[in-house]
Amino acid sequence: MHRWPLEEKPLLVFYETTKACPLACRHCRANALLKPLPTELSTEEAKRFIEDLTGFGRPYPILILTGGDPLTRDDTLELIDHARSFGIPVALSPAVSTKLLNDDILRELKGRVSSISISLDGAKPETHNYIRRTALERIDVFRTTLEVFNKLRSYGIEFQVNTAVMRLNVHELPQVFKIVRDSGANAWEVFFLIRVGRGMELEPLDPWETEDVVQFLYEASLYGLPIRTVEAPFFRRIIMQRGSGIKYEGGKLYWELTKQLRELMGDPPSNAKPPSFTPTRDGYGIIFVASDGSIYPSGFLPLTLGNVRKDNIVKVYREHPILRTIREARFNGKCGTCEFRNICGGSRARAYTELGDPLGSDPACIYEPTAK
């Protein structure tokens, strides 16, 4: 397989189709609302933006329709079909709702989307339901989410599970991993809290706890389920270190989580291989289009680069000075001297949120570069 030319085109294009959503999650990046905003792209504007993606050339990036909940839009299937007519692969990130994510829509989505992502933020109903508050309908979101896993599997639709990590749920991660692995999911994507949107109300982990969790994720990856991180690109540094034989002494949280993991799963297979990765980061291999057409490096980095209503997304991705600097790993502080800066590069979103500098060092990373 040829290396994806991340300098020329993103691997993933996220399109926040709407801010409307039946849930009111406590960590929602989008500050989702019950009703759509009048500023969101119309069907025709969205189609023109989708057509612009062909300018990246084949193979095209994966278009991920997210929100809010993309299923609140009446034209979502039309947009999916429009993308597919050009050969653009489409993935979907809906909210769990019995009114919207039901058997009828799953039958329509089968064969139309390459994958669906579903969130699970706790191993217990009280945790997940507390985080994933409902706004439109009174349902047990935890139970309904597990039912959706079963339905996706029965329809033969590939799916991944997304989990946002915060102090509120960190001790449940081994149990969440087991649920995800047993569900038949194709991957587990673990999001590390960025204090934007409603996430301002929640407490993230401190840097040493973050390191413990990401080291735990390395242990979990040895059980064969692909694991990816969002806003913790230093997972790749850990993969490189652990793969080269560097041991992690670990803090209290690491040993707690790893002990639970072994109790739940037994020892990993003797032939377990370290996970592989693609060195994407905010603005490098990833680009985000908000519901009003604004172009951001990622959904967690609301730094406006242009707007698809007037700017060509291919030109913005390839030529915007901020994105070129991010691609070239020209960062400030220790991220700029780190020997892992090309495969990691730190969370640009966290640097922007915490330090006001999208090129600053990631405050959640404890690693001290050997190069000075």
Side-chain angles (χ1 to χ4, degrees), residues 150-217:
N150 290 332
K151 288 182 179 181
L152 289 168
R153 192 169 59 244
S154 69
Y155 282 109
I157 301 173
E158 290 192 2
F159 67 98
Q160 72 173 46
V161 179
N162 298 343
T163 300
V165 180
M166 59 200 83
R167 196 171 298 281
L168 184 65
N169 66 358
V170 67
H171 298 284
E172 297 178 28
L173 288 180
Q175 299 100 306
V176 173
F177 171 76
K178 186 175 189 309
I179 293 171
V180 175
R181 191 170 181 271
D182 292 347
S183 74
N186 294 88
W188 189 29
E189 192 147 297
V190 183
F191 291 64
F192 285 74
L193 189 65
I194 301 291
R195 289 164 58 79
V196 295
R198 293 196 195 105
M200 293 294 293
E201 304 170 9
L202 298 171
E203 188 176 3
L205 307 178
D206 69 34
W208 281 99
E209 291 168 328
T210 299
E211 182 77 5
D212 274 359
V213 170
V214 180
Q215 294 278 357
F216 155 76
L217 293 178

Side-chain angles (χ1 to χ4, degrees), residues 305-324:
L305 309 172
N307 191 294
V308 297
R309 282 187 163 117
K310 60 183 180 62
D311 300 304
N312 181 278
I313 193 166
V314 177
K315 183 178 176 66
V316 170
Y317 182 82
R318 292 177 176 171
E319 299 180 13
H320 196 284
I322 284 287
L323 298 186
R324 294 180 70 170

Side-chain angles (χ1 to χ4, degrees), residues 13-16 41 49 287-291 293-296 308 313:
V13 176
F14 291 88
Y15 170 33
E16 177 193 63
L41 298 183
F49 150 61
I287 201 76
F288 182 92
V289 175
S291 63
S294 296
I295 305 170
Y296 301 148
V308 297
I313 193 166

Side-chain angles (χ1 to χ4, degrees), residues 4 21 36 45-47 68 70 80 98 103 138 198 200 244 246 250-251 264 269 279 282-283 287 289 309 312 334 364:
W4 190 271
C21 185
E45 288 173 325
K47 284 183 174 180
I80 291 172
T98 56
D103 285 280
R138 298 302 164 200
R198 293 196 195 105
M200 293 294 293
S244 65
I246 297 175
L264 288 167
D282 302 319
I287 201 76
V289 175
R309 282 187 163 117
N312 181 278
K334 69 179 185 179

Side-chain angles (χ1 to χ4, degrees), residues 200-254:
M200 293 294 293
E201 304 170 9
L202 298 171
E203 188 176 3
L205 307 178
D206 69 34
W208 281 99
E209 291 168 328
T210 299
E211 182 77 5
D212 274 359
V213 170
V214 180
Q215 294 278 357
F216 155 76
L217 293 178
Y218 179 86
E219 302 287 348
S221 72
L222 300 179
Y223 291 88
L225 179 69
I227 296 176
R228 297 186 290 268
T229 58
V230 176
E231 304 306 344
F234 33 82
F235 184 38
R236 299 160 203 158
R237 182 249 307 163
I238 288 166
I239 292 171
M240 298 289 287
Q241 290 175 320
R242 298 289 295 272
S244 65
I246 297 175
K247 294 184 178 180
Y248 181 60
E249 295 300 323
K252 179 181 178 183
L253 182 58
Y254 167 78

Side-chain angles (χ1 to χ4, degrees), residues 1 7 21 25-26 33 35 38 69-70 103 105 114 126 139 154 192 216 247-248 260 275 285 326 348 358 364:
M1 181 179 177
E7 295 80 9
C21 185
C25 303
R26 295 182 187 276
L33 308 166
K35 295 182 179 180
D69 182 358
D103 285 280
I105 191 66
S114 60
E126 52 266 36
I139 62 171
S154 69
F192 285 74
F216 155 76
K247 294 184 178 180
Y248 181 60
Q260 286 187 47
I326 289 173
R348 301 297 95 223

